[in-house]
Amino acid sequence: MQRAVSVVAHLGFRLQALPPALCRPLSCAQDVLRRTPLYDFHLAHGGKMVAFAGWSLPVQYRDSHTDSHLHTRQHCSLFDVSHMLQTKIFGSDRVKLMESLVVGDIAELRPNQGTLSLFTNEAGGILDDLIVTNTSEGHLYVVSNAGCWEKDLALMQDKVRELQNQGRDVGLEVLDNALLALQGPTAAQVLQASVADDLKKLPFMTSAVMEVFGVSGCRVTRCGYTGEDGVEISVPAAGAVHLATALLKNPEVKLAGLAARDSLRLEAGLCLYGNDIDEHTTPVEGSLSWTLGKRRRAAMDFPGAKVILPQLKGKVQRRRVGLMCEGAPMRAHSPILNMEGTKIGTVTSGCPSPSLKKNVAMGYVPCEYSRPGTMLLVEVRRKQQMAVVSKMPFVPTNYYTLK
């Protein structure tokens, strides 16, 4: 998902993500940025604000990026992800609408079950990644990337109008809720004290509407973008500050910003839209074939199926792989070379791993170089250094599943 940020140099670290035009110091565009309901809350707690995808968001707080990252791995952290596009798709033809746009099997989702899926185009390229939940309230709850807000909304609205013109029963509503992510091994323990529902019955990628710290109408989804156990809480905007304040009273919880979120997702092997996947990347190239629903594969009825499905059986020219190296950190756009020094690919995301004390990255290489253990070269600051193709996630994930 597109939830990370290039960090301004004066913060003392440099995490590559979106182009500078989309992410820059606040002084460049302060009067035109959108603000989440927690904007003043962030300032009061020492948030260093940057511009990201048209929003003013905290890149970090008073703690260092490394401390914030490791706290999330060991305890839990609270992230404001209210910039994400949240939509509600309703009507008896809501599944038909969504399946006309994504590769996943939405019809098979049980009540309150969700899945990661992909918007694709007819050329097989990925337009965005998103989470779709089949709620027990009779609608689909969709969360997609802030950087693709206009594109995603137009895509869904155009399809709504097309189906409505055919007499279909479908509609779309943009939600103005805030979205808070509580992530880390103690997240469920912290949240349990504030809800009546038994969170042990809420496994990974399921959700439920509940009252949280006295705020009613909150949708709690067991998911996240860090590789840790955790939840994302869609909360009415008026209750966002109250909820964040209440969570922060627990000593287990610290605030974390976009910088830690980026390094956490990279350690977990999760894609950043616009860097690791885009309209010129197919799900097979992006190592995301698992998002293709079995029934959808058989029916060949999703956008780009005629391009994507043959790639499952044949070879693709390139694949997304993980990379590890010593020395200088690999960054987005760093050239990847074979051992003979010929350029064969490019790094798409990279940073030092606070958990592993090594440098980790993702990038694309030809299939013959994609096997884990393959030795390659990466050019960093005009110097070549050794790198090894590595399995992802780099750090084991800790999603909560029912045994």
Side-chain angles (χ1 to χ4, degrees), residues 280-306:
H280 305 291
T281 310
T282 71
V284 182
E285 291 173 331
S287 300
L288 295 169
S289 300
W290 60 271
T291 62
L292 306 173
K294 184 177 180 181
R295 175 179 61 83
R296 307 300 306 281
R297 297 186 194 195
M300 296 186 66
D301 63 349
F302 56 85
K306 292 181 179 179

mmCIF file with all atom_site columns, all heavy atoms in Angstrom, residues 280-306:
data_model
loop_
_atom_site.group_PDB
_atom_site.id
_atom_site.type_symbol
_atom_site.label_atom_id
_atom_site.label_alt_id
_atom_site.label_comp_id
_atom_site.label_asym_id
_atom_site.label_entity_id
_atom_site.label_seq_id
_atom_site.pdbx_PDB_ins_code
_atom_site.Cartn_x
_atom_site.Cartn_y
_atom_site.Cartn_z
_atom_site.occupancy
_atom_site.B_iso_or_equiv
_atom_site.pdbx_formal_charge
_atom_site.auth_seq_id
_atom_site.auth_comp_id
_atom_site.auth_asym_id
_atom_site.auth_atom_id
_atom_site.pdbx_PDB_model_num
ATOM 1   N N   . HIS A 1 280 ? 2.681   -0.378  -14.861 1.00 0.00 ? 280 HIS A N   1
ATOM 2   C CA  . HIS A 1 280 ? 3.506   -1.123  -15.801 1.00 0.00 ? 280 HIS A CA  1
ATOM 3   C C   . HIS A 1 280 ? 3.988   -2.446  -15.218 1.00 0.00 ? 280 HIS A C   1
ATOM 4   O O   . HIS A 1 280 ? 4.843   -3.109  -15.796 1.00 0.00 ? 280 HIS A O   1
ATOM 5   C CB  . HIS A 1 280 ? 4.700   -0.266  -16.231 1.00 0.00 ? 280 HIS A CB  1
ATOM 6   C CG  . HIS A 1 280 ? 4.309   1.062   -16.804 1.00 0.00 ? 280 HIS A CG  1
ATOM 7   N ND1 . HIS A 1 280 ? 3.681   1.194   -18.025 1.00 0.00 ? 280 HIS A ND1 1
ATOM 8   C CD2 . HIS A 1 280 ? 4.416   2.317   -16.299 1.00 0.00 ? 280 HIS A CD2 1
ATOM 9   C CE1 . HIS A 1 280 ? 3.435   2.470   -18.260 1.00 0.00 ? 280 HIS A CE1 1
ATOM 10  N NE2 . HIS A 1 280 ? 3.867   3.179   -17.231 1.00 0.00 ? 280 HIS A NE2 1
ATOM 11  N N   . THR A 1 281 ? 3.426   -2.825  -14.056 1.00 0.00 ? 281 THR A N   1
ATOM 12  C CA  . THR A 1 281 ? 3.781   -4.068  -13.379 1.00 0.00 ? 281 THR A CA  1
ATOM 13  C C   . THR A 1 281 ? 2.563   -4.971  -13.320 1.00 0.00 ? 281 THR A C   1
ATOM 14  O O   . THR A 1 281 ? 1.479   -4.523  -12.935 1.00 0.00 ? 281 THR A O   1
ATOM 15  C CB  . THR A 1 281 ? 4.244   -3.788  -11.932 1.00 0.00 ? 281 THR A CB  1
ATOM 16  O OG1 . THR A 1 281 ? 5.224   -2.755  -11.934 1.00 0.00 ? 281 THR A OG1 1
ATOM 17  C CG2 . THR A 1 281 ? 4.798   -5.040  -11.292 1.00 0.00 ? 281 THR A CG2 1
ATOM 18  N N   . THR A 1 282 ? 2.712   -6.228  -13.689 1.00 0.00 ? 282 THR A N   1
ATOM 19  C CA  . THR A 1 282 ? 1.605   -7.178  -13.545 1.00 0.00 ? 282 THR A CA  1
ATOM 20  C C   . THR A 1 282 ? 1.689   -7.856  -12.184 1.00 0.00 ? 282 THR A C   1
ATOM 21  O O   . THR A 1 282 ? 2.756   -7.864  -11.551 1.00 0.00 ? 282 THR A O   1
ATOM 22  C CB  . THR A 1 282 ? 1.637   -8.255  -14.645 1.00 0.00 ? 282 THR A CB  1
ATOM 23  O OG1 . THR A 1 282 ? 2.754   -9.131  -14.400 1.00 0.00 ? 282 THR A OG1 1
ATOM 24  C CG2 . THR A 1 282 ? 1.737   -7.647  -16.032 1.00 0.00 ? 282 THR A CG2 1
ATOM 25  N N   . PRO A 1 283 ? 0.592   -8.452  -11.712 1.00 0.00 ? 283 PRO A N   1
ATOM 26  C CA  . PRO A 1 283 ? 0.644   -9.169  -10.432 1.00 0.00 ? 283 PRO A CA  1
ATOM 27  C C   . PRO A 1 283 ? 1.679   -10.289 -10.409 1.00 0.00 ? 283 PRO A C   1
ATOM 28  O O   . PRO A 1 283 ? 2.288   -10.543 -9.370  1.00 0.00 ? 283 PRO A O   1
ATOM 29  C CB  . PRO A 1 283 ? -0.777  -9.730  -10.301 1.00 0.00 ? 283 PRO A CB  1
ATOM 30  C CG  . PRO A 1 283 ? -1.633  -8.793  -11.087 1.00 0.00 ? 283 PRO A CG  1
ATOM 31  C CD  . PRO A 1 283 ? -0.779  -8.376  -12.248 1.00 0.00 ? 283 PRO A CD  1
ATOM 32  N N   . VAL A 1 284 ? 1.893   -10.956 -11.543 1.00 0.00 ? 284 VAL A N   1
ATOM 33  C CA  . VAL A 1 284 ? 2.871   -12.043 -11.588 1.00 0.00 ? 284 VAL A CA  1
ATOM 34  C C   . VAL A 1 284 ? 4.280   -11.490 -11.471 1.00 0.00 ? 284 VAL A C   1
ATOM 35  O O   . VAL A 1 284 ? 5.103   -11.999 -10.704 1.00 0.00 ? 284 VAL A O   1
ATOM 36  C CB  . VAL A 1 284 ? 2.705   -12.863 -12.883 1.00 0.00 ? 284 VAL A CB  1
ATOM 37  C CG1 . VAL A 1 284 ? 3.703   -14.022 -12.909 1.00 0.00 ? 284 VAL A CG1 1
ATOM 38  C CG2 . VAL A 1 284 ? 1.284   -13.411 -13.003 1.00 0.00 ? 284 VAL A CG2 1
ATOM 39  N N   . GLU A 1 285 ? 4.579   -10.432 -12.187 1.00 0.00 ? 285 GLU A N   1
ATOM 40  C CA  . GLU A 1 285 ? 5.891   -9.798  -12.076 1.00 0.00 ? 285 GLU A CA  1
ATOM 41  C C   . GLU A 1 285 ? 6.133   -9.297  -10.658 1.00 0.00 ? 285 GLU A C   1
ATOM 42  O O   . GLU A 1 285 ? 7.247   -9.367  -10.141 1.00 0.00 ? 285 GLU A O   1
ATOM 43  C CB  . GLU A 1 285 ? 5.992   -8.624  -13.054 1.00 0.00 ? 285 GLU A CB  1
ATOM 44  C CG  . GLU A 1 285 ? 6.023   -9.017  -14.511 1.00 0.00 ? 285 GLU A CG  1
ATOM 45  C CD  . GLU A 1 285 ? 5.941   -7.819  -15.437 1.00 0.00 ? 285 GLU A CD  1
ATOM 46  O OE1 . GLU A 1 285 ? 5.344   -6.785  -15.054 1.00 0.00 ? 285 GLU A OE1 1
ATOM 47  O OE2 . GLU A 1 285 ? 6.484   -7.912  -16.553 1.00 0.00 ? 285 GLU A OE2 1
ATOM 48  N N   . GLY A 1 286 ? 5.091   -8.771  -10.033 1.00 0.00 ? 286 GLY A N   1
ATOM 49  C CA  . GLY A 1 286 ? 5.207   -8.220  -8.689  1.00 0.00 ? 286 GLY A CA  1
ATOM 50  C C   . GLY A 1 286 ? 5.159   -9.243  -7.583  1.00 0.00 ? 286 GLY A C   1
ATOM 51  O O   . GLY A 1 286 ? 5.091   -8.887  -6.402  1.00 0.00 ? 286 GLY A O   1
ATOM 52  N N   . SER A 1 287 ? 5.195   -10.541 -7.929  1.00 0.00 ? 287 SER A N   1
ATOM 53  C CA  . SER A 1 287 ? 5.125   -11.639 -6.946  1.00 0.00 ? 287 SER A CA  1
ATOM 54  C C   . SER A 1 287 ? 3.843   -11.552 -6.117  1.00 0.00 ? 287 SER A C   1
ATOM 55  O O   . SER A 1 287 ? 3.839   -11.816 -4.914  1.00 0.00 ? 287 SER A O   1
ATOM 56  C CB  . SER A 1 287 ? 6.369   -11.638 -6.038  1.00 0.00 ? 287 SER A CB  1
ATOM 57  O OG  . SER A 1 287 ? 7.542   -11.817 -6.811  1.00 0.00 ? 287 SER A OG  1
ATOM 58  N N   . LEU A 1 288 ? 2.764   -11.177 -6.784  1.00 0.00 ? 288 LEU A N   1
ATOM 59  C CA  . LEU A 1 288 ? 1.463   -11.049 -6.128  1.00 0.00 ? 288 LEU A CA  1
ATOM 60  C C   . LEU A 1 288 ? 0.409   -11.961 -6.771  1.00 0.00 ? 288 LEU A C   1
ATOM 61  O O   . LEU A 1 288 ? -0.785  -11.686 -6.717  1.00 0.00 ? 288 LEU A O   1
ATOM 62  C CB  . LEU A 1 288 ? 0.989   -9.590  -6.186  1.00 0.00 ? 288 LEU A CB  1
ATOM 63  C CG  . LEU A 1 288 ? 1.850   -8.592  -5.409  1.00 0.00 ? 288 LEU A CG  1
ATOM 64  C CD1 . LEU A 1 288 ? 1.449   -7.164  -5.755  1.00 0.00 ? 288 LEU A CD1 1
ATOM 65  C CD2 . LEU A 1 288 ? 1.722   -8.816  -3.907  1.00 0.00 ? 288 LEU A CD2 1
ATOM 66  N N   . SER A 1 289 ? 0.861   -13.077 -7.345  1.00 0.00 ? 289 SER A N   1
ATOM 67  C CA  . SER A 1 289 ? -0.062  -14.008 -7.999  1.00 0.00 ? 289 SER A CA  1
ATOM 68  C C   . SER A 1 289 ? -1.104  -14.561 -7.036  1.00 0.00 ? 289 SER A C   1
ATOM 69  O O   . SER A 1 289 ? -2.211  -14.926 -7.448  1.00 0.00 ? 289 SER A O   1
ATOM 70  C CB  . SER A 1 289 ? 0.717   -15.167 -8.631  1.00 0.00 ? 289 SER A CB  1
ATOM 71  O OG  . SER A 1 289 ? 1.627   -14.706 -9.594  1.00 0.00 ? 289 SER A OG  1
ATOM 72  N N   . TRP A 1 290 ? -0.757  -14.600 -5.746  1.00 0.00 ? 290 TRP A N   1
ATOM 73  C CA  . TRP A 1 290 ? -1.684  -15.141 -4.748  1.00 0.00 ? 290 TRP A CA  1
ATOM 74  C C   . TRP A 1 290 ? -2.954  -14.298 -4.611  1.00 0.00 ? 290 TRP A C   1
ATOM 75  O O   . TRP A 1 290 ? -3.965  -14.772 -4.064  1.00 0.00 ? 290 TRP A O   1
ATOM 76  C CB  . TRP A 1 290 ? -0.992  -15.262 -3.393  1.00 0.00 ? 290 TRP A CB  1
ATOM 77  C CG  . TRP A 1 290 ? -0.479  -13.958 -2.850  1.00 0.00 ? 290 TRP A CG  1
ATOM 78  C CD1 . TRP A 1 290 ? 0.737   -13.394 -3.051  1.00 0.00 ? 290 TRP A CD1 1
ATOM 79  C CD2 . TRP A 1 290 ? -1.206  -13.035 -2.012  1.00 0.00 ? 290 TRP A CD2 1
ATOM 80  N NE1 . TRP A 1 290 ? 0.827   -12.178 -2.406  1.00 0.00 ? 290 TRP A NE1 1
ATOM 81  C CE2 . TRP A 1 290 ? -0.335  -11.944 -1.762  1.00 0.00 ? 290 TRP A CE2 1
ATOM 82  C CE3 . TRP A 1 290 ? -2.478  -13.037 -1.461  1.00 0.00 ? 290 TRP A CE3 1
ATOM 83  C CZ2 . TRP A 1 290 ? -0.721  -10.862 -0.967  1.00 0.00 ? 290 TRP A CZ2 1
ATOM 84  C CZ3 . TRP A 1 290 ? -2.868  -11.962 -0.666  1.00 0.00 ? 290 TRP A CZ3 1
ATOM 85  C CH2 . TRP A 1 290 ? -1.989  -10.893 -0.432  1.00 0.00 ? 290 TRP A CH2 1
ATOM 86  N N   . THR A 1 291 ? -2.943  -13.068 -5.103  1.00 0.00 ? 291 THR A N   1
ATOM 87  C CA  . THR A 1 291 ? -4.149  -12.235 -5.028  1.00 0.00 ? 291 THR A CA  1
ATOM 88  C C   . THR A 1 291 ? -5.181  -12.617 -6.091  1.00 0.00 ? 291 THR A C   1
ATOM 89  O O   . THR A 1 291 ? -6.324  -12.165 -6.023  1.00 0.00 ? 291 THR A O   1
ATOM 90  C CB  . THR A 1 291 ? -3.804  -10.742 -5.207  1.00 0.00 ? 291 THR A CB  1
ATOM 91  O OG1 . THR A 1 291 ? -3.240  -10.531 -6.506  1.00 0.00 ? 291 THR A OG1 1
ATOM 92  C CG2 . THR A 1 291 ? -2.816  -10.274 -4.142  1.00 0.00 ? 291 THR A CG2 1
ATOM 93  N N   . LEU A 1 292 ? -4.790  -13.428 -7.076  1.00 0.00 ? 292 LEU A N   1
ATOM 94  C CA  . LEU A 1 292 ? -5.700  -13.815 -8.153  1.00 0.00 ? 292 LEU A CA  1
ATOM 95  C C   . LEU A 1 292 ? -6.622  -14.924 -7.660  1.00 0.00 ? 292 LEU A C   1
ATOM 96  O O   . LEU A 1 292 ? -6.177  -16.038 -7.376  1.00 0.00 ? 292 LEU A O   1
ATOM 97  C CB  . LEU A 1 292 ? -4.905  -14.304 -9.376  1.00 0.00 ? 292 LEU A CB  1
ATOM 98  C CG  . LEU A 1 292 ? -3.836  -13.356 -9.923  1.00 0.00 ? 292 LEU A CG  1
ATOM 99  C CD1 . LEU A 1 292 ? -3.021  -14.045 -11.005 1.00 0.00 ? 292 LEU A CD1 1
ATOM 100 C CD2 . LEU A 1 292 ? -4.472  -12.082 -10.463 1.00 0.00 ? 292 LEU A CD2 1
ATOM 101 N N   . GLY A 1 293 ? -7.907  -14.630 -7.554  1.00 0.00 ? 293 GLY A N   1
ATOM 102 C CA  . GLY A 1 293 ? -8.863  -15.621 -7.057  1.00 0.00 ? 293 GLY A CA  1
ATOM 103 C C   . GLY A 1 293 ? -8.936  -16.843 -7.968  1.00 0.00 ? 293 GLY A C   1
ATOM 104 O O   . GLY A 1 293 ? -8.895  -16.717 -9.193  1.00 0.00 ? 293 GLY A O   1
ATOM 105 N N   . LYS A 1 294 ? -9.043  -18.034 -7.378  1.00 0.00 ? 294 LYS A N   1
ATOM 106 C CA  . LYS A 1 294 ? -9.084  -19.271 -8.157  1.00 0.00 ? 294 LYS A CA  1
ATOM 107 C C   . LYS A 1 294 ? -10.251 -19.270 -9.137  1.00 0.00 ? 294 LYS A C   1
ATOM 108 O O   . LYS A 1 294 ? -10.102 -19.618 -10.311 1.00 0.00 ? 294 LYS A O   1
ATOM 109 C CB  . LYS A 1 294 ? -9.181  -20.462 -7.214  1.00 0.00 ? 294 LYS A CB  1
ATOM 110 C CG  . LYS A 1 294 ? -9.132  -21.810 -7.906  1.00 0.00 ? 294 LYS A CG  1
ATOM 111 C CD  . LYS A 1 294 ? -9.164  -22.952 -6.904  1.00 0.00 ? 294 LYS A CD  1
ATOM 112 C CE  . LYS A 1 294 ? -9.115  -24.310 -7.607  1.00 0.00 ? 294 LYS A CE  1
ATOM 113 N NZ  . LYS A 1 294 ? -9.163  -25.429 -6.627  1.00 0.00 ? 294 LYS A NZ  1
ATOM 114 N N   . ARG A 1 295 ? -11.422 -18.873 -8.659  1.00 0.00 ? 295 ARG A N   1
ATOM 115 C CA  . ARG A 1 295 ? -12.599 -18.816 -9.536  1.00 0.00 ? 295 ARG A CA  1
ATOM 116 C C   . ARG A 1 295 ? -12.409 -17.773 -10.631 1.00 0.00 ? 295 ARG A C   1
ATOM 117 O O   . ARG A 1 295 ? -12.802 -17.985 -11.781 1.00 0.00 ? 295 ARG A O   1
ATOM 118 C CB  . ARG A 1 295 ? -13.849 -18.478 -8.708  1.00 0.00 ? 295 ARG A CB  1
ATOM 119 C CG  . ARG A 1 295 ? -15.116 -18.268 -9.540  1.00 0.00 ? 295 ARG A CG  1
ATOM 120 C CD  . ARG A 1 295 ? -16.321 -17.966 -8.662  1.00 0.00 ? 295 ARG A CD  1
ATOM 121 N NE  . ARG A 1 295 ? -16.146 -16.760 -7.876  1.00 0.00 ? 295 ARG A NE  1
ATOM 122 C CZ  . ARG A 1 295 ? -16.379 -15.534 -8.333  1.00 0.00 ? 295 ARG A CZ  1
ATOM 123 N NH1 . ARG A 1 295 ? -16.766 -15.335 -9.585  1.00 0.00 ? 295 ARG A NH1 1
ATOM 124 N NH2 . ARG A 1 295 ? -16.210 -14.490 -7.537  1.00 0.00 ? 295 ARG A NH2 1
ATOM 125 N N   . ARG A 1 296 ? -11.779 -16.658 -10.291 1.00 0.00 ? 296 ARG A N   1
ATOM 126 C CA  . ARG A 1 296 ? -11.546 -15.588 -11.264 1.00 0.00 ? 296 ARG A CA  1
ATOM 127 C C   . ARG A 1 296 ? -10.559 -16.042 -12.345 1.00 0.00 ? 296 ARG A C   1
ATOM 128 O O   . ARG A 1 296 ? -10.681 -15.663 -13.512 1.00 0.00 ? 296 ARG A O   1
ATOM 129 C CB  . ARG A 1 296 ? -11.021 -14.332 -10.571 1.00 0.00 ? 296 ARG A CB  1
ATOM 130 C CG  . ARG A 1 296 ? -11.845 -13.812 -9.380  1.00 0.00 ? 296 ARG A CG  1
ATOM 131 C CD  . ARG A 1 296 ? -13.276 -13.440 -9.779  1.00 0.00 ? 296 ARG A CD  1
ATOM 132 N NE  . ARG A 1 296 ? -13.356 -12.519 -10.875 1.00 0.00 ? 296 ARG A NE  1
ATOM 133 C CZ  . ARG A 1 296 ? -13.164 -11.194 -10.781 1.00 0.00 ? 296 ARG A CZ  1
ATOM 134 N NH1 . ARG A 1 296 ? -12.861 -10.642 -9.619  1.00 0.00 ? 296 ARG A NH1 1
ATOM 135 N NH2 . ARG A 1 296 ? -13.290 -10.422 -11.846 1.00 0.00 ? 296 ARG A NH2 1
ATOM 136 N N   . ARG A 1 297 ? -9.580  -16.844 -11.945 1.00 0.00 ? 297 ARG A N   1
ATOM 137 C CA  . ARG A 1 297 ? -8.632  -17.378 -12.926 1.00 0.00 ? 297 ARG A CA  1
ATOM 138 C C   . ARG A 1 297 ? -9.363  -18.264 -13.939 1.00 0.00 ? 297 ARG A C   1
ATOM 139 O O   . ARG A 1 297 ? -9.126  -18.173 -15.148 1.00 0.00 ? 297 ARG A O   1
ATOM 140 C CB  . ARG A 1 297 ? -7.546  -18.198 -12.233 1.00 0.00 ? 297 ARG A CB  1
ATOM 141 C CG  . ARG A 1 297 ? -6.672  -17.435 -11.277 1.00 0.00 ? 297 ARG A CG  1
ATOM 142 C CD  . ARG A 1 297 ? -5.543  -18.323 -10.768 1.00 0.00 ? 297 ARG A CD  1
ATOM 143 N NE  . ARG A 1 297 ? -4.873  -17.746 -9.602  1.00 0.00 ? 297 ARG A NE  1
ATOM 144 C CZ  . ARG A 1 297 ? -3.709  -18.156 -9.138  1.00 0.00 ? 297 ARG A CZ  1
ATOM 145 N NH1 . ARG A 1 297 ? -3.068  -19.145 -9.744  1.00 0.00 ? 297 ARG A NH1 1
ATOM 146 N NH2 . ARG A 1 297 ? -3.164  -17.594 -8.073  1.00 0.00 ? 297 ARG A NH2 1
ATOM 147 N N   . ALA A 1 298 ? -10.236 -19.135 -13.405 1.00 0.00 ? 298 ALA A N   1
ATOM 148 C CA  . ALA A 1 298 ? -10.959 -20.056 -14.283 1.00 0.00 ? 298 ALA A CA  1
ATOM 149 C C   . ALA A 1 298 ? -11.889 -19.306 -15.228 1.00 0.00 ? 298 ALA A C   1
ATOM 150 O O   . ALA A 1 298 ? -12.016 -19.656 -16.404 1.00 0.00 ? 298 ALA A O   1
ATOM 151 C CB  . ALA A 1 298 ? -11.746 -21.062 -13.438 1.00 0.00 ? 298 ALA A CB  1
ATOM 152 N N   . ALA A 1 299 ? -12.527 -18.251 -14.713 1.00 0.00 ? 299 ALA A N   1
ATOM 153 C CA  . ALA A 1 299 ? -13.488 -17.495 -15.527 1.00 0.00 ? 299 ALA A CA  1
ATOM 154 C C   . ALA A 1 299 ? -12.794 -16.501 -16.457 1.00 0.00 ? 299 ALA A C   1
ATOM 155 O O   . ALA A 1 299 ? -13.395 -16.046 -17.441 1.00 0.00 ? 299 ALA A O   1
ATOM 156 C CB  . ALA A 1 299 ? -14.477 -16.760 -14.622 1.00 0.00 ? 299 ALA A CB  1
ATOM 157 N N   . MET A 1 300 ? -11.546 -16.142 -16.148 1.00 0.00 ? 300 MET A N   1
ATOM 158 C CA  . MET A 1 300 ? -10.786 -15.150 -16.925 1.00 0.00 ? 300 MET A CA  1
ATOM 159 C C   . MET A 1 300 ? -11.593 -13.866 -17.109 1.00 0.00 ? 300 MET A C   1
ATOM 160 O O   . MET A 1 300 ? -11.634 -13.290 -18.195 1.00 0.00 ? 300 MET A O   1
ATOM 161 C CB  . MET A 1 300 ? -10.397 -15.718 -18.288 1.00 0.00 ? 300 MET A CB  1
ATOM 162 C CG  . MET A 1 300 ? -9.454  -16.897 -18.237 1.00 0.00 ? 300 MET A CG  1
ATOM 163 S SD  . MET A 1 300 ? -8.893  -17.439 -19.878 1.00 0.00 ? 300 MET A SD  1
ATOM 164 C CE  . MET A 1 300 ? -7.916  -16.018 -20.390 1.00 0.00 ? 300 MET A CE  1
ATOM 165 N N   . ASP A 1 301 ? -12.225 -13.418 -16.021 1.00 0.00 ? 301 ASP A N   1
ATOM 166 C CA  . ASP A 1 301 ? -13.174 -12.304 -16.136 1.00 0.00 ? 301 ASP A CA  1
ATOM 167 C C   . ASP A 1 301 ? -12.748 -11.052 -15.384 1.00 0.00 ? 301 ASP A C   1
ATOM 168 O O   . ASP A 1 301 ? -13.575 -10.219 -15.036 1.00 0.00 ? 301 ASP A O   1
ATOM 169 C CB  . ASP A 1 301 ? -14.553 -12.761 -15.644 1.00 0.00 ? 301 ASP A CB  1
ATOM 170 C CG  . ASP A 1 301 ? -14.577 -13.163 -14.173 1.00 0.00 ? 301 ASP A CG  1
ATOM 171 O OD1 . ASP A 1 301 ? -13.478 -13.297 -13.573 1.00 0.00 ? 301 ASP A OD1 1
ATOM 172 O OD2 . ASP A 1 301 ? -15.676 -13.343 -13.622 1.00 0.00 ? 301 ASP A OD2 1
ATOM 173 N N   . PHE A 1 302 ? -11.452 -10.883 -15.129 1.00 0.00 ? 302 PHE A N   1
ATOM 174 C CA  . PHE A 1 302 ? -10.990 -9.646  -14.489 1.00 0.00 ? 302 PHE A CA  1
ATOM 175 C C   . PHE A 1 302 ? -10.159 -8.852  -15.488 1.00 0.00 ? 302 PHE A C   1
ATOM 176 O O   . PHE A 1 302 ? -9.622  -9.410  -16.462 1.00 0.00 ? 302 PHE A O   1
ATOM 177 C CB  . PHE A 1 302 ? -10.192 -9.940  -13.216 1.00 0.00 ? 302 PHE A CB  1
ATOM 178 C CG  . PHE A 1 302 ? -9.009  -10.852 -13.408 1.00 0.00 ? 302 PHE A CG  1
ATOM 179 C CD1 . PHE A 1 302 ? -7.779  -10.353 -13.809 1.00 0.00 ? 302 PHE A CD1 1
ATOM 180 C CD2 . PHE A 1 302 ? -9.124  -12.215 -13.187 1.00 0.00 ? 302 PHE A CD2 1
ATOM 181 C CE1 . PHE A 1 302 ? -6.684  -11.185 -13.988 1.00 0.00 ? 302 PHE A CE1 1
ATOM 182 C CE2 . PHE A 1 302 ? -8.040  -13.061 -13.363 1.00 0.00 ? 302 PHE A CE2 1
ATOM 183 C CZ  . PHE A 1 302 ? -6.810  -12.544 -13.761 1.00 0.00 ? 302 PHE A CZ  1
ATOM 184 N N   . PRO A 1 303 ? -10.036 -7.549  -15.297 1.00 0.00 ? 303 PRO A N   1
ATOM 185 C CA  . PRO A 1 303 ? -9.276  -6.728  -16.244 1.00 0.00 ? 303 PRO A CA  1
ATOM 186 C C   . PRO A 1 303 ? -7.836  -7.220  -16.388 1.00 0.00 ? 303 PRO A C   1
ATOM 187 O O   . PRO A 1 303 ? -7.144  -7.442  -15.397 1.00 0.00 ? 303 PRO A O   1
ATOM 188 C CB  . PRO A 1 303 ? -9.319  -5.332  -15.619 1.00 0.00 ? 303 PRO A CB  1
ATOM 189 C CG  . PRO A 1 303 ? -10.538 -5.328  -14.772 1.00 0.00 ? 303 PRO A CG  1
ATOM 190 C CD  . PRO A 1 303 ? -10.662 -6.722  -14.230 1.00 0.00 ? 303 PRO A CD  1
ATOM 191 N N   . GLY A 1 304 ? -7.397  -7.399  -17.629 1.00 0.00 ? 304 GLY A N   1
ATOM 192 C CA  . GLY A 1 304 ? -6.033  -7.839  -17.884 1.00 0.00 ? 304 GLY A CA  1
ATOM 193 C C   . GLY A 1 304 ? -5.816  -9.329  -17.804 1.00 0.00 ? 304 GLY A C   1
ATOM 194 O O   . GLY A 1 304 ? -4.672  -9.799  -17.902 1.00 0.00 ? 304 GLY A O   1
ATOM 195 N N   . ALA A 1 305 ? -6.888  -10.115 -17.645 1.00 0.00 ? 305 ALA A N   1
ATOM 196 C CA  . ALA A 1 305 ? -6.751  -11.566 -17.479 1.00 0.00 ? 305 ALA A CA  1
ATOM 197 C C   . ALA A 1 305 ? -6.010  -12.212 -18.647 1.00 0.00 ? 305 ALA A C   1
ATOM 198 O O   . ALA A 1 305 ? -5.211  -13.136 -18.458 1.00 0.00 ? 305 ALA A O   1
ATOM 199 C CB  . ALA A 1 305 ? -8.127  -12.204 -17.305 1.00 0.00 ? 305 ALA A CB  1
ATOM 200 N N   . LYS A 1 306 ? -6.252  -11.722 -19.866 1.00 0.00 ? 306 LYS A N   1
ATOM 201 C CA  . LYS A 1 306 ? -5.631  -12.339 -21.041 1.00 0.00 ? 306 LYS A CA  1
ATOM 202 C C   . LYS A 1 306 ? -4.125  -12.122 -21.077 1.00 0.00 ? 306 LYS A C   1
ATOM 203 O O   . LYS A 1 306 ? -3.401  -12.864 -21.751 1.00 0.00 ? 306 LYS A O   1
ATOM 204 C CB  . LYS A 1 306 ? -6.276  -11.793 -22.311 1.00 0.00 ? 306 LYS A CB  1
ATOM 205 C CG  . LYS A 1 306 ? -7.726  -12.228 -22.489 1.00 0.00 ? 306 LYS A CG  1
ATOM 206 C CD  . LYS A 1 306 ? -8.318  -11.686 -23.780 1.00 0.00 ? 306 LYS A CD  1
ATOM 207 C CE  . LYS A 1 306 ? -9.759  -12.144 -23.945 1.00 0.00 ? 306 LYS A CE  1
ATOM 208 N NZ  . LYS A 1 306 ? -10.372 -11.607 -25.193 1.00 0.00 ? 306 LYS A NZ  1
#
